[in-house]
Amino acid sequence: MIRGKVVIAQDICKGCELCITSCPQESLGLSDKINIKGYRFVELVKDNCTGCVNCALVCPDAAITVYRQRKEVFKANQNMKKAV
Amino acid sequence: MEHTPGTSEIRLMKGNEALAEAAIRAGLQAYFGYPITPQSEVLEYLAVHMPKRGGVVLQAESELAAINMVFGAAGAGARVMTSSSGPGISLMQEGISYMASAELPCLIVNVQRGGPGLGTIQPSQGDYFQATKGGGHGDYHMIVLAPSSVQEMADFVFESFRLADKYLTPVMILSDGALGQMMEKVALPPEGSLPFIEKPWATTGKKPGQKRRIITSLFMQPEEMEEVNLRLQTKYRLIEKQEVRYEALETDDAEIVLVAFGLAARICEKALTLAREKGFKVGLLRPISLYPFPSKVFASLATNAEMFLVVEMNAGQMVEDVKLAVEGKRPVHFKGRMGGMIPSPEEILSEIETVIENEQVNT
Amino acid sequence: MKLPPITNGFEIVYKKPDTLTDTPMHYCPGCGHGVVHRVLMEVVDEMKIQDKTIGVAPVGCSVFAYNYMNVDMQEAAHGRATAVATGIKRVLPDRFVFTYQGDGDLAAIGTGETVHTVNRGENILIVFINNGVYGMTGGQMAPTTLLGMKTTTSPYGREAASAGFPLKITNLITQLPGALYVTRQAVHEPNAVRRLKKAVRLAFEYQLLKKGTCFIEVVSNCPSGWKMTPQESNKWMEENMFPMYPLGDLKVPSQTMN
C-alpha cells in the first residue's frame, strides 16, 4: 500500500475530532497533552497513513498537511520487496 | 471653484438636473439611487446620460441597498454618489455611519422635503440636525454643503467630490425641493476638469507582493476603536479649521444680522433689501458649510451687531448652532416655517420689525 | 508553518493554500466556516486569481472572514453584503467578486438585497452558510431554524404559528431568471468537501460568462449553538437539516442559457 504521513499544526488544532472520524485507516487520535489554546490536539497514533487527504479536507482549521510517498519511490520499494 | 473660467457652458436647467449634469462632468463613475420626490430627476437624468458617457447608473431596490452599493463602489475606488430625500436619507444612515468609519469618499445629496414621517413633498430644511450632527450611530460627521441656487447645486458637486477625496469622508449636499425643482441659468464646467487621485487603499484585487486591502468599520478591541475615533476626530478638527464656507451680505454696519442657509437665505436676501429700504440696518450671514459650521464669524459679528435673527424652514435647528457660536453675547431670535411652508420676504421683514421693537422695549 | 515540499521520498499532496492567511481562525471547534473559507481560497489559489478577487464579509460569526481569506475584502453592514458586492462588481466588472453570508445575514435582514441582487443577475458568487442559528450573538433563532428546533429565542422549539416556517431561500431564488447556477452543498465529510470545491470552481468560472448570479448554499453545523459535539452536530445535521435542505444542484447554467 502507498504510504502517507500527516503533519498537524498542533497549536492550531482545536481537537474537534472530525479528522479522526473521517480517517479510513483510523490512524489519528487525540493526544493526552493539551496545546497552547487548551485543546487536546490530534496526532498520528498508528503508522498506517496512506495520505488519502480525507483528514485535511474536513479540517476546519486548515491545520493538516498531507504527504504521500512519491510514485517512483513507492514502485522502487515494491520492486525491492519482490527482489527480496 | 477650480474650473477654468471661459470654458463653461451656460444652460437653463432644473436644480436636480444641473446637479446630475455637473456630477457627470465631475467624473462620476457610478450612481446608485432610488426614486423619491422631489429628487427623482437626478436618477432620471443620469439614467439617460450616464450610459452614453460610460458610467454606471443603477436603480436599487431601496435606499438601504443604494447606500451600500455606494459603499462597495467607493471601497473599490470609484467616484460615486447617491441622492434622495428625507425618508430615503433616513434609511441611508446605516451606510453613512459605516462609510464615515471606514473612511470612504462619496457624495450624498439630500433634496429635502417636509417631515417628520412620510411628511410632504414640499421643500423643507428639517434635516439639518440629521445632516450636521451625524445622523447615524456613533461619533462622526459628514461635510455638509448647502447650496442656495441652481448654480451652486452644480458647483458644489465638484467641491464635494474634491473634499470627499481629500478627507476620505462622505460629503452631503443639503438642498431642498424648491432648489431641486426650480429652473435657473447655470454655468457648467467642462467635463474632466476635476482630476482623479490615486486610491491605494481601494479593494481592486491584491497585487502580488503587496499587502491586501481591507475596508472595514469593525474594530473589536476598544483600544483600537478609540484609536479610530481619535483619528476621525483629528480629521474633523482639520476640516473645521480649513473648510468653513459662508457668505456675508451687508454685515459691516448691520445692527440685526439675519442668519439663514439654502433657500431660506435667498428669501432673506430679498427681506434684507426691503428692510434696508425701510432704513433698518440689516445684514445676512449665510452659512454654506453647515458642517463645519462657521462658528468663528459669529464672534466677530457679535461685537457690532445688536442681535441675530435666524430664519429656517424648520422648527429651529441651525439656531442652536448659532446660539452656541454667539455664546450668549447677543440675543438670538428665530423665525421658522415648517411642513413644506416657505416664509415670504414680507413675513421675514415683519419679524425683523417685531424683534427690533421687542428688544427696544426690553432695553 | 513552512514545511518542505518533498522530504524523504514523500511529497506534499495537501496543504493550506497561500490564499489563506496564517491567522488562527476564531471559530468554535468543528465549525464548518473554516472548511468553506479554505475551499474558497483553494479555488482562488488554483485559478491564480488572487489579484482579481474581492470578497465581501457579512455580519455574523464570519464577520472576521477577511482576517483569514488573503484577498482584498470589504466588511459589509448586516445583510448588505450583496449590495456592497454589486457596487464593487459594477465598477470593476472584470474582477471576481464573492459574498460570504450566514442565514441571518442573507435570509433575514438581507432578504431584500439577496433577492434583488440575484434578480438583477449580478455576476457575483454568493456563498450562503446555513446552520439554522445565529451563532455570533449566542444561538438565537434564524429564518432557517427548523420547526421544533430549540434556540435561545425559541426555547420551546420553533412554532410555525408564531415564528413562521424555515425559509428555503435557496429554492426561492432559484426561481429568479437572474440566477445562473444554484447549488446546495455541505462540508461534513470528505466527499462533500470535494463536491463543494467543484461547485465553487464552477461558480468562479461562470463569473467570466457574465450570465448571472451563482449561489452556493452550504448546509453547515453549529456545535456551540446546537449544544452538541462536532460529531453529534454533523449527525444531527444529516438526520434533520438535510431532509429540509436536500443537497444537490437546484439550477445549472444549461437550463438558463438555452
Side-chain angles (χ1 to χ4, degrees), chain B residues 29-30 32 56-62 64-66 68-78 94 98 104 202-208 211-218 220, chain C residues 21 50-54 59 63-64 66-78 80 83-88 90-92 95 109 112-114 116-117 120 122 136:
Chain B
Q29 290 164 313
F32 305 95
V56 173
V57 58
L58 199 163
Q59 179 174 333
E61 62 270 28
S62 69
L64 209 49
N68 284 287
M69 290 170 186
V70 170
F71 184 107
E94 173 190 79
Y98 278 64
L104 294 178
T203 57
T204 54
K206 178 195 177 304
K207 301 286 161 291
K211 260 190 86 176
R212 72 205 176 98
R213 279 71 57 101
I214 297 170
I215 288 171
T216 182
S217 62
L218 176 70
M220 282 292 271
Chain C
T21 67
Q50 189 182 17
D51 61 335
K52 293 192 190 73
T53 302
I54 302 157
V59 172
V63 70
F64 285 121
Y66 56 76
N67 283 341
Y68 315 125
M69 298 198 246
N70 194 12
V71 291
D72 277 4
M73 286 195 78
Q74 294 193 21
E75 164 58 39
H78 197 25
R80 320 286 169 240
V84 171
T86 298
I88 300 171
R90 288 291 180 116
V91 298
L92 298 171
R95 304 303 200 279
I109 194 166
E113 285 79 1
T114 304
H116 285 279
T117 301
R120 286 191 303 267
E122 297 292 340
M136 170 167 261

Coordinates of all heavy atoms in Angstrom, one line a residue, chain B residues 29-30 32 56-62 64-66 68-78 94 98 104 202-208 211-218 220, chain C residues 21 50-54 59 63-64 66-78 80 83-88 90-92 95 109 112-114 116-117 120 122 136:
Chain B
Q29 N -18.4 58.1 -11.7 CA -18.3 56.8 -12.3 C -19.4 55.9 -12.0 O -19.7 54.9 -12.7 CB -16.9 56.2 -11.8 CG -15.7 56.9 -12.4 CD -14.4 56.5 -11.7 OE1 -14.4 56.6 -10.5 NE2 -13.4 56.3 -12.5
A30 N -20.1 56.1 -10.9 CA -21.2 55.2 -10.5 C -22.2 56.0 -9.7 O -21.9 56.7 -8.8 CB -20.7 54.0 -9.8
F32 N -25.9 55.2 -7.6 CA -26.9 54.2 -7.1 C -28.0 55.0 -6.4 O -27.7 55.8 -5.5 CB -26.2 53.2 -6.2 CG -25.1 52.5 -6.8 CD1 -23.8 52.9 -6.6 CD2 -25.2 51.4 -7.6 CE1 -22.7 52.3 -7.1 CE2 -24.1 50.7 -8.2 CZ -22.9 51.2 -7.9
V56 N -21.8 54.0 -14.6 CA -22.7 53.1 -14.0 C -23.9 53.8 -13.4 O -23.7 54.7 -12.6 CB -22.1 52.2 -12.9 CG1 -23.1 51.3 -12.3 CG2 -21.0 51.3 -13.5
V57 N -25.1 53.5 -13.8 CA -26.3 54.0 -13.1 C -27.2 52.9 -12.8 O -27.5 52.1 -13.6 CB -26.9 55.2 -13.8 CG1 -27.4 54.7 -15.2 CG2 -28.1 55.7 -13.0
L58 N -27.6 52.7 -11.5 CA -28.4 51.6 -11.1 C -29.5 52.1 -10.2 O -29.2 52.7 -9.2 CB -27.5 50.6 -10.4 CG -28.0 49.1 -10.2 CD1 -26.8 48.2 -9.9 CD2 -29.1 49.0 -9.2
Q59 N -30.7 51.7 -10.5 CA -31.8 52.0 -9.6 C -31.9 50.8 -8.7 O -32.3 49.7 -9.0 CB -33.1 52.1 -10.4 CG -34.3 52.4 -9.5 CD -35.6 52.7 -10.3 OE1 -35.6 53.2 -11.4 NE2 -36.7 52.3 -9.6
A60 N -31.6 51.0 -7.4 CA -31.6 50.0 -6.4 C -33.0 49.6 -5.9 O -33.9 50.3 -6.2 CB -30.7 50.4 -5.2
E61 N -33.0 48.6 -5.1 CA -34.3 48.1 -4.6 C -34.8 48.9 -3.4 O -35.9 48.9 -2.9 CB -34.3 46.6 -4.2 CG -33.3 46.2 -3.1 CD -31.9 45.9 -3.7 OE1 -31.6 46.4 -4.8 OE2 -31.2 45.1 -3.1
S62 N -33.8 49.7 -2.8 CA -34.2 50.6 -1.7 C -33.0 51.5 -1.4 O -31.9 51.3 -2.0 CB -34.4 49.7 -0.4 OG -33.1 49.2 0.0
L64 N -31.5 51.7 1.3 CA -30.6 50.9 2.1 C -29.6 50.2 1.2 O -28.4 50.2 1.4 CB -31.5 49.9 2.9 CG -31.0 49.4 4.2 CD1 -30.6 50.5 5.1 CD2 -32.2 48.6 4.8
A65 N -30.1 49.6 0.1 CA -29.3 48.9 -0.8 C -28.4 49.9 -1.5 O -27.2 49.7 -1.7 CB -30.1 48.1 -1.8
A66 N -29.0 51.0 -1.9 CA -28.3 52.0 -2.7 C -27.1 52.5 -2.0 O -26.0 52.6 -2.5 CB -29.2 53.2 -3.1
N68 N -25.4 51.1 0.3 CA -24.4 50.0 0.5 C -23.7 49.7 -0.9 O -22.6 49.2 -0.9 CB -25.0 48.8 1.1 CG -25.2 49.0 2.6 OD1 -24.2 49.0 3.4 ND2 -26.4 49.3 3.1
M69 N -24.4 49.9 -2.0 CA -23.8 49.8 -3.3 C -22.7 51.0 -3.4 O -21.6 50.8 -3.9 CB -24.8 49.9 -4.4 CG -25.7 48.7 -4.5 SD -27.0 49.1 -5.6 CE -28.0 47.6 -5.4
V70 N -23.1 52.1 -2.9 CA -22.2 53.3 -2.9 C -20.9 52.9 -2.0 O -19.8 53.1 -2.4 CB -22.8 54.5 -2.3 CG1 -21.8 55.6 -2.0 CG2 -23.9 55.0 -3.2
F71 N -21.2 52.2 -0.9 CA -20.1 51.7 0.0 C -19.1 50.8 -0.9 O -17.9 51.1 -0.9 CB -20.7 51.0 1.2 CG -19.6 50.5 2.2 CD1 -19.5 51.1 3.4 CD2 -18.8 49.4 1.9 CE1 -18.6 50.6 4.4 CE2 -17.9 48.9 2.8 CZ -17.8 49.6 4.1
G72 N -19.7 49.9 -1.5 CA -18.9 48.9 -2.3 C -18.1 49.6 -3.4 O -16.9 49.4 -3.5
A73 N -18.8 50.4 -4.1 CA -18.1 51.1 -5.2 C -17.1 52.1 -4.8 O -16.0 52.2 -5.4 CB -19.2 51.8 -6.1
A74 N -17.4 52.8 -3.7 CA -16.4 53.7 -3.1 C -15.2 53.0 -2.6 O -14.0 53.4 -2.8 CB -17.0 54.6 -2.0
G75 N -15.4 51.8 -2.0 CA -14.3 51.0 -1.5 C -13.5 50.4 -2.6 O -12.3 50.1 -2.5
A76 N -14.1 50.3 -3.8 CA -13.4 49.8 -5.0 C -12.7 50.9 -5.7 O -12.1 50.7 -6.8 CB -14.3 49.0 -5.9
G77 N -12.8 52.1 -5.2 CA -12.0 53.3 -5.7 C -12.8 54.2 -6.7 O -12.2 55.1 -7.2
A78 N -14.1 54.0 -6.8 CA -14.8 54.8 -7.8 C -15.3 56.1 -7.3 O -15.4 56.2 -6.1 CB -16.0 54.0 -8.3
E94 N -27.5 54.1 8.1 CA -26.7 53.0 8.4 C -25.4 53.0 7.6 O -24.3 53.0 8.1 CB -27.4 51.7 8.1 CG -26.6 50.4 8.3 CD -27.3 49.2 7.7 OE1 -27.3 49.0 6.5 OE2 -27.8 48.4 8.5
Y98 N -21.3 53.7 8.5 CA -20.2 52.7 8.1 C -19.2 53.4 7.2 O -18.0 53.1 7.4 CB -20.9 51.5 7.4 CG -21.5 50.5 8.3 CD1 -22.6 50.8 9.1 CD2 -20.9 49.2 8.3 CE1 -23.1 49.8 9.9 CE2 -21.5 48.2 9.1 CZ -22.6 48.5 9.9 OH -23.1 47.6 10.7
L104 N -14.6 56.3 3.6 CA -14.8 56.1 2.2 C -15.4 57.4 1.6 O -16.3 58.0 2.2 CB -15.8 55.0 1.9 CG -15.3 53.6 2.3 CD1 -16.3 52.6 2.0 CD2 -14.0 53.3 1.5
A202 N -7.9 51.3 -2.0 CA -9.1 50.7 -2.6 C -8.9 49.2 -2.9 O -7.9 48.7 -3.3 CB -9.5 51.4 -3.9
T203 N -10.0 48.4 -2.7 CA -10.0 47.0 -3.0 C -10.2 46.8 -4.4 O -11.3 46.7 -4.9 CB -11.1 46.3 -2.2 OG1 -12.4 46.8 -2.6 CG2 -10.9 46.4 -0.7
T204 N -9.1 46.6 -5.1 CA -9.2 46.4 -6.6 C -8.6 45.0 -6.9 O -8.5 44.7 -8.1 CB -8.4 47.5 -7.3 OG1 -7.1 47.6 -6.8 CG2 -9.1 48.8 -7.2
G205 N -8.2 44.3 -5.9 CA -7.5 43.0 -6.1 C -6.1 43.1 -5.6 O -5.4 44.0 -5.9
K206 N -5.7 42.1 -4.7 CA -4.4 42.2 -4.1 C -3.3 41.9 -5.1 O -3.3 40.9 -5.8 CB -4.3 41.1 -3.1 CG -3.0 40.9 -2.3 CD -2.9 39.6 -1.6 CE -1.6 39.4 -0.9 NZ -0.4 39.4 -1.8
K207 N -2.4 42.9 -5.3 CA -1.3 42.7 -6.3 C -0.2 41.8 -5.6 O 0.0 41.9 -4.4 CB -0.7 44.1 -6.6 CG -1.7 45.0 -7.3 CD -2.1 44.7 -8.7 CE -3.4 45.3 -9.2 NZ -4.6 44.8 -8.5
P208 N 0.4 41.0 -6.5 CA 1.5 40.1 -5.9 C 2.5 40.9 -5.2 O 3.0 42.0 -5.7 CB 2.0 39.4 -7.2 CG 1.0 39.6 -8.2 CD 0.3 40.9 -7.9
K211 N 0.6 44.3 0.1 CA -0.4 44.0 1.2 C -1.8 44.1 0.6 O -2.1 45.0 -0.2 CB -0.2 45.0 2.3 CG 0.6 44.4 3.5 CD 0.6 45.3 4.7 CE -0.6 45.0 5.5 NZ -0.7 45.8 6.8
R212 N -2.6 43.2 1.1 CA -4.0 43.3 0.6 C -4.7 44.4 1.3 O -4.3 44.9 2.4 CB -4.7 42.0 0.9 CG -5.0 41.7 2.3 CD -5.1 40.2 2.5 NE -5.3 40.0 3.9 CZ -6.5 39.7 4.5 NH1 -7.6 39.7 3.7 NH2 -6.6 39.5 5.8
R213 N -5.8 44.8 0.8 CA -6.6 45.9 1.3 C -7.9 45.4 2.0 O -8.6 44.5 1.4 CB -7.0 46.9 0.2 CG -6.0 47.9 -0.2 CD -4.8 47.3 -1.0 NE -5.2 46.6 -2.2 CZ -5.1 47.1 -3.4 NH1 -4.6 48.3 -3.6 NH2 -5.4 46.4 -4.4
I214 N -8.1 45.9 3.2 CA -9.4 45.5 3.9 C -10.1 46.8 4.2 O -9.5 47.7 4.8 CB -9.1 44.7 5.2 CG1 -8.4 43.4 4.9 CG2 -10.4 44.5 6.0 CD1 -7.8 42.7 6.1
I215 N -11.4 46.8 3.8 CA -12.2 48.0 4.2 C -13.2 47.6 5.2 O -14.1 46.7 4.9 CB -12.8 48.6 2.9 CG1 -11.7 49.3 2.1 CG2 -13.9 49.6 3.2 CD1 -12.1 49.7 0.7
T216 N -13.1 48.1 6.4 CA -14.0 47.7 7.4 C -14.3 48.8 8.4 O -13.5 49.8 8.5 CB -13.4 46.5 8.2 OG1 -14.3 46.0 9.2 CG2 -12.0 46.8 8.9
S217 N -15.4 48.7 9.1 CA -15.6 49.6 10.2 C -15.8 48.9 11.5 O -16.3 49.4 12.5 CB -16.9 50.4 9.9 OG -18.0 49.5 9.8
L218 N -15.2 47.7 11.5 CA -15.3 46.8 12.7 C -13.9 46.8 13.4 O -12.9 46.4 12.8 CB -15.7 45.4 12.3 CG -15.7 44.3 13.4 CD1 -16.8 44.6 14.4 CD2 -15.8 42.9 12.8
M220 N -12.8 45.5 17.0 CA -13.4 44.9 18.2 C -12.7 45.3 19.5 O -13.3 45.4 20.5 CB -13.3 43.3 18.1 CG -14.4 42.8 17.2 SD -16.0 42.9 17.9 CE -16.1 41.4 18.8
Chain C
T21 N -4.6 33.2 5.2 CA -3.6 33.8 6.0 C -3.2 32.8 7.1 O -3.8 31.8 7.3 CB -4.1 35.1 6.7 OG1 -5.1 34.7 7.6 CG2 -4.6 36.1 5.7
Q50 N -6.0 35.5 -7.3 CA -5.9 36.2 -6.0 C -5.9 37.7 -6.3 O -6.5 38.5 -5.6 CB -4.6 35.8 -5.3 CG -4.5 36.4 -3.9 CD -3.3 36.0 -3.2 OE1 -2.3 35.6 -3.8 NE2 -3.2 36.1 -1.9
D51 N -5.2 38.1 -7.4 CA -5.1 39.6 -7.7 C -6.3 40.1 -8.3 O -6.4 41.3 -8.6 CB -3.9 39.8 -8.6 CG -4.0 39.1 -9.9 OD1 -4.7 38.0 -10.0 OD2 -3.4 39.5 -10.9
K52 N -7.3 39.3 -8.6 CA -8.5 39.7 -9.3 C -9.8 39.5 -8.4 O -10.9 39.6 -8.9 CB -8.7 39.0 -10.6 CG -7.7 39.4 -11.7 CD -8.1 38.9 -13.0 CE -7.0 39.0 -14.0 NZ -5.9 38.0 -13.8
T53 N -9.5 39.0 -7.2 CA -10.7 38.6 -6.4 C -10.9 39.6 -5.3 O -10.0 40.0 -4.6 CB -10.4 37.2 -5.8 OG1 -10.2 36.3 -6.9 CG2 -11.6 36.7 -5.0
I54 N -12.2 39.9 -5.1 CA -12.6 40.8 -4.0 C -13.7 40.1 -3.3 O -14.8 39.8 -3.9 CB -13.0 42.2 -4.5 CG1 -11.8 42.8 -5.3 CG2 -13.4 43.1 -3.3 CD1 -12.2 43.9 -6.3
V59 N -22.1 40.3 8.5 CA -22.1 40.3 10.0 C -22.7 39.0 10.5 O -23.7 38.5 9.9 CB -22.9 41.5 10.5 CG1 -23.1 41.5 12.0 CG2 -22.3 42.8 10.1
V63 N -17.9 37.4 10.5 CA -17.6 38.8 10.3 C -16.1 39.1 10.1 O -15.7 40.0 9.4 CB -18.2 39.6 11.5 CG1 -17.4 39.3 12.8 CG2 -18.2 41.1 11.3
F64 N -15.3 38.2 10.7 CA -13.8 38.3 10.5 C -13.3 37.5 9.4 O -12.1 37.2 9.3 CB -13.1 38.0 11.8 CG -13.3 39.0 12.9 CD1 -13.8 38.7 14.1 CD2 -12.8 40.3 12.7 CE1 -14.0 39.7 15.1 CE2 -12.9 41.3 13.7 CZ -13.5 41.0 14.9
Y66 N -12.4 38.3 6.7 CA -11.3 39.0 6.0 C -10.0 38.8 6.7 O -9.0 39.1 6.1 CB -11.7 40.5 5.8 CG -12.0 41.2 7.0 CD1 -11.0 41.6 7.9 CD2 -13.3 41.6 7.3 CE1 -11.3 42.3 9.1 CE2 -13.7 42.3 8.5 CZ -12.7 42.7 9.4 OH -13.0 43.4 10.5
N67 N -10.0 38.3 7.9 CA -8.8 38.0 8.6 C -8.1 36.7 8.1 O -6.9 36.5 8.3 CB -9.0 37.9 10.1 CG -9.1 39.2 10.8 OD1 -8.8 40.2 10.3 ND2 -9.7 39.2 12.0
Y68 N -8.9 35.9 7.4 CA -8.4 34.6 7.0 C -8.2 34.4 5.5 O -7.3 33.8 5.1 CB -9.4 33.5 7.6 CG -9.8 33.8 9.0 CD1 -11.1 33.9 9.4 CD2 -8.8 34.0 10.0 CE1 -11.5 34.1 10.7 CE2 -9.1 34.2 11.3 CZ -10.5 34.3 11.6 OH -10.8 34.6 12.9
M69 N -9.1 35.1 4.8 CA -9.0 34.9 3.3 C -8.1 36.0 2.8 O -8.4 37.2 3.0 CB -10.4 35.0 2.7 CG -11.3 33.9 3.2 SD -12.8 33.6 2.2 CE -14.1 34.1 3.3
N70 N -7.0 35.6 2.2 CA -6.0 36.6 1.9 C -6.2 37.2 0.5 O -5.4 37.1 -0.4 CB -4.6 35.8 1.9 CG -3.4 36.8 1.9 OD1 -3.6 38.0 2.1 ND2 -2.3 36.2 1.6
V71 N -7.3 37.9 0.4 CA -7.6 38.6 -0.8 C -8.2 40.0 -0.3 O -8.5 40.2 0.9 CB -8.7 38.0 -1.6 CG1 -8.2 36.7 -2.3 CG2 -10.0 37.7 -0.8
D72 N -8.2 41.0 -1.2 CA -8.9 42.2 -0.9 C -10.3 42.0 -0.4 O -11.0 41.3 -1.1 CB -8.9 43.2 -2.1 CG -7.5 43.9 -2.3 OD1 -6.6 43.6 -1.5 OD2 -7.4 44.7 -3.2
M73 N -10.7 42.6 0.7 CA -12.0 42.4 1.2 C -12.7 43.6 1.8 O -12.0 44.5 2.2 CB -12.0 41.3 2.2 CG -11.8 39.9 1.6 SD -12.2 38.5 2.7 CE -14.0 38.5 2.7
Q74 N -14.0 43.6 1.7 CA -14.8 44.7 2.4 C -15.7 44.1 3.4 O -16.2 43.0 3.1 CB -15.6 45.5 1.3 CG -14.7 46.3 0.3 CD -15.6 47.3 -0.4 OE1 -16.6 47.7 -0.1 NE2 -15.0 47.7 -1.6
E75 N -15.9 44.8 4.5 CA -16.8 44.3 5.5 C -18.1 45.1 5.4 O -18.1 46.3 5.5 CB -16.1 44.5 6.9 CG -17.0 44.5 8.1 CD -17.8 43.2 8.2 OE1 -17.1 42.1 7.9 OE2 -19.0 43.2 8.6
A76 N -19.2 44.3 5.1 CA -20.5 45.0 4.9 C -21.3 45.1 6.1 O -21.0 44.4 7.1 CB -21.3 44.2 3.8
A77 N -22.3 46.0 6.1 CA -23.3 46.1 7.2 C -24.1 44.8 7.1 O -24.2 44.1 6.1 CB -24.1 47.3 7.0
H78 N -24.8 44.5 8.2 CA -25.6 43.3 8.4 C -26.6 43.2 7.3 O -27.5 44.0 7.2 CB -26.2 43.3 9.7 CG -26.7 41.9 10.2 ND1 -26.2 40.7 9.7 CD2 -27.7 41.6 11.1 CE1 -26.8 39.7 10.3 NE2 -27.7 40.2 11.1
R80 N -26.2 43.5 4.1 CA -26.0 44.3 2.9 C -24.8 43.8 2.0 O -24.4 44.5 1.1 CB -25.7 45.7 3.2 CG -26.5 46.3 4.4 CD -28.0 46.5 4.0 NE -28.7 46.8 5.2 CZ -29.8 46.1 5.6 NH1 -30.2 45.1 4.9 NH2 -30.4 46.4 6.7
A83 N -25.4 44.0 -1.7 CA -25.4 45.3 -2.3 C -24.0 45.9 -2.4 O -23.7 46.5 -3.4 CB -26.3 46.2 -1.3
V84 N -23.2 45.6 -1.4 CA -21.8 46.1 -1.4 C -21.1 45.4 -2.6 O -20.4 46.0 -3.4 CB -21.1 45.8 -0.1 CG1 -19.6 46.0 -0.2 CG2 -21.7 46.6 1.0
A85 N -21.3 44.1 -2.8 CA -20.7 43.4 -3.9 C -21.2 43.9 -5.2 O -20.4 44.0 -6.2 CB -21.0 41.9 -3.7
T86 N -22.5 44.3 -5.3 CA -23.0 44.9 -6.5 C -22.2 46.2 -6.9 O -21.8 46.4 -8.0 CB -24.5 45.2 -6.4 OG1 -25.2 44.0 -6.1 CG2 -25.0 45.9 -7.6
G87 N -22.0 47.0 -5.8 CA -21.2 48.2 -6.0 C -19.8 47.9 -6.6 O -19.3 48.6 -7.5
I88 N -19.2 46.9 -6.0 CA -17.8 46.6 -6.4 C -17.8 46.1 -7.8 O -17.0 46.5 -8.7 CB -17.2 45.5 -5.5 CG1 -17.1 46.0 -4.0 CG2 -15.8 45.1 -5.9 CD1 -16.8 45.0 -3.0
R90 N -20.0 46.3 -10.2 CA -20.4 47.3 -11.3 C -19.3 48.2 -11.7 O -19.2 48.6 -12.9 CB -21.6 48.1 -10.8 CG -22.9 47.3 -10.7 CD -23.4 46.9 -12.1 NE -24.6 46.1 -12.1 CZ -25.8 46.5 -12.6 NH1 -25.9 47.7 -13.1 NH2 -26.8 45.7 -12.5
V91 N -18.4 48.5 -10.8 CA -17.3 49.5 -11.1 C -16.0 48.7 -11.5 O -15.1 49.3 -12.1 CB -17.0 50.5 -10.1 CG1 -18.2 51.4 -9.9 CG2 -16.5 49.9 -8.8
L92 N -16.0 47.4 -11.1 CA -14.8 46.6 -11.5 C -15.3 45.3 -12.1 O -15.2 44.2 -11.6 CB -13.9 46.3 -10.3 CG -13.3 47.4 -9.6 CD1 -12.6 47.0 -8.3 CD2 -12.2 48.1 -10.4
R95 N -13.4 41.8 -12.3 CA -12.9 41.2 -11.1 C -13.8 40.0 -10.7 O -15.0 40.0 -11.0 CB -12.7 42.1 -9.9 CG -11.9 43.3 -10.1 CD -10.5 43.0 -10.5 NE -9.6 44.1 -10.3 CZ -9.5 45.2 -11.1 NH1 -10.1 45.2 -12.2 NH2 -8.6 46.2 -10.8
I109 N -32.3 39.7 7.6 CA -32.1 41.1 7.5 C -31.7 41.5 6.0 O -32.0 42.6 5.6 CB -31.1 41.6 8.5 CG1 -31.1 43.2 8.6 CG2 -29.7 41.2 8.2 CD1 -30.4 43.7 9.8
G112 N -34.1 41.3 1.2 CA -34.3 42.2 0.0 C -33.1 42.3 -0.9 O -33.2 42.2 -2.1
E113 N -32.0 42.5 -0.3 CA -30.7 42.7 -1.1 C -30.5 41.4 -1.8 O -30.1 41.4 -3.0 CB -29.5 43.0 -0.2 CG -29.5 44.5 0.3 CD -30.5 44.8 1.4 OE1 -31.1 43.8 1.9 OE2 -30.6 45.9 1.9
T114 N -30.7 40.2 -1.1 CA -30.4 38.9 -1.7 C -31.2 38.7 -3.0 O -30.7 38.4 -4.1 CB -30.7 37.8 -0.7 OG1 -29.9 38.0 0.5 CG2 -30.3 36.4 -1.3
H116 N -33.0 40.8 -4.8 CA -32.8 41.8 -5.9 C -31.4 41.7 -6.6 O -31.3 41.9 -7.8 CB -33.1 43.2 -5.4 CG -34.6 43.4 -5.3 ND1 -35.4 43.7 -6.3 CD2 -35.4 43.4 -4.2 CE1 -36.6 43.8 -5.9 NE2 -36.6 43.6 -4.6
T117 N -30.4 41.3 -5.8 CA -29.1 41.1 -6.4 C -29.2 39.9 -7.4 O -28.7 40.0 -8.5 CB -28.0 40.8 -5.3 OG1 -28.0 41.9 -4.4 CG2 -26.7 40.6 -5.9
R120 N -31.3 40.8 -10.4 CA -30.5 41.6 -11.4 C -29.5 40.7 -12.2 O -28.9 41.2 -13.1 CB -29.8 42.8 -10.8 CG -30.7 43.9 -10.3 CD -29.9 45.1 -9.9 NE -28.9 44.8 -8.9 CZ -29.1 44.9 -7.6 NH1 -30.3 45.4 -7.1 NH2 -28.2 44.6 -6.7
E122 N -26.6 39.8 -11.0 CA -25.2 40.4 -10.8 C -24.2 39.2 -11.0 O -24.4 38.1 -10.4 CB -25.1 41.0 -9.4 CG -26.0 42.2 -9.1 CD -25.6 43.4 -9.8 OE1 -24.5 43.5 -10.3 OE2 -26.5 44.3 -10.0
M136 N -23.1 34.0 16.2 CA -22.3 35.0 16.9 C -23.0 35.6 18.1 O -22.3 35.9 19.1 CB -21.9 36.1 15.9 CG -21.3 37.3 16.6 SD -20.6 38.5 15.4 CE -18.9 38.0 15.6

